[in-house]
Amino acid sequence: MTLERSEVEQIAHLARLGLNEDDLPRTTETLNNILGLIDRMQAVDTSGIEPLAHPLETSQRLRADAVTETNRRDAYQAIAPAVEDGLYLVPRVIE
C-alpha cells in the first residue's frame, strides 16, 4: 500500500498538522516506508509461534506478602477533625 501526496495532505488535515510544501514529499516517503514495513511484518508466517509476555525469559522477584507496619488507625483518627464509624468526615464539595 502506498500513499499519494493528496492522501498525505488529507491525513495531515485530519490530524491538524501544518505541513509545508517542502515537508510533503519527505512525509509521504516516510509514511510509505512505515506502511511497507508493516506489510513486510504481516507477511511473516507466525503460525506455531507462541506469543511472549516479555522478550526476555525472566521471572519477577516477589517479596513475601506480609504486614510490616502496625495498625495506627485509632491514633490517626483521634487527631482528625471529624470521624464517624471509622470514616473521616469532610465538608461537602458538590452541591
Side-chain angles (χ1 to χ4, degrees), residues 53-63:
H54 193 277
L56 302 176
E57 294 294 330
T58 60
S59 60
Q60 181 82 19
R61 291 190 321 248
L62 301 175
R63 62 177 172 79

Side-chain angles (χ1 to χ4, degrees), residues 27-76:
T27 304
T28 304
E29 180 183 354
T30 302
L31 289 174
N32 283 328
N33 288 341
I34 292 169
L35 292 174
L37 177 62
I38 291 170
D39 287 341
R40 286 191 356 223
M41 288 172 36
Q42 288 180 341
V44 174
D45 181 25
T46 58
S47 60
I49 298 176
E50 190 171 328
L52 296 174
H54 193 277
L56 302 176
E57 294 294 330
T58 60
S59 60
Q60 181 82 19
R61 291 190 321 248
L62 301 175
R63 62 177 172 79
D65 188 17
V67 176
T68 59
E69 295 184 13
T70 58
N71 183 2
R72 298 188 294 191
R73 176 179 173 188
D74 293 332
Y76 292 143

